[in-house]
Amino acid sequence: MKLGQRLSEEQIQEMRGLALAGKSALQISKVVGTSPATVRSYMQKWGIDYRVDKKEGNFPPNLLAEWDKLHERYGTKK
């Protein structure tokens, strides 16, 4: 897609459907034919999280919850 070119309503709806299906901004941009930055701005406007590959860390959630439980008294001021 050329710089400054407008998206049609069909492209916007297709982009929204792919975003709701969990596709990344890069994948959507290849299908629709626009830049990933444009896709990200639309997803942000719609309130859809475009950061699909978020890093959670290497620790399992139950271990982190246990750690928080054991150390919660140190984080509070009395």
Side-chain angles (χ1 to χ4, degrees), residues 22-27 49-56:
K23 299 290 183 183
S24 70
L26 184 61
Q27 292 169 333
D49 192 10
Y50 59 84
R51 295 167 287 177
V52 176
D53 299 331
K54 290 188 276 189
K55 291 202 171 193
E56 296 287 324

Side-chain angles (χ1 to χ4, degrees), residues 19-74:
L20 290 173
K23 299 290 183 183
S24 70
L26 184 61
Q27 292 169 333
I28 296 170
S29 69
K30 289 179 181 178
V31 171
V32 177
T34 185
S35 70
T38 302
V39 175
R40 284 188 208 103
S41 66
Y42 272 100
M43 290 173 78
Q44 190 174 28
K45 178 178 149 185
W46 295 325
I48 301 171
D49 192 10
Y50 59 84
R51 295 167 287 177
V52 176
D53 299 331
K54 290 188 276 189
K55 291 202 171 193
E56 296 287 324
N58 294 331
F59 301 105
N62 58 351
L63 183 62
L64 291 175
E66 182 180 347
W67 177 269
D68 289 341
K69 182 181 176 189
L70 291 172
H71 293 86
E72 68 184 6
R73 66 179 169 163
Y74 298 111

Side-chain angles (χ1 to χ4, degrees), residues 11-23:
Q11 288 175 313
I12 292 173
Q13 292 305 320
E14 181 180 15
M15 194 179 346
R16 184 174 174 87
L18 291 170
L20 290 173
K23 299 290 183 183

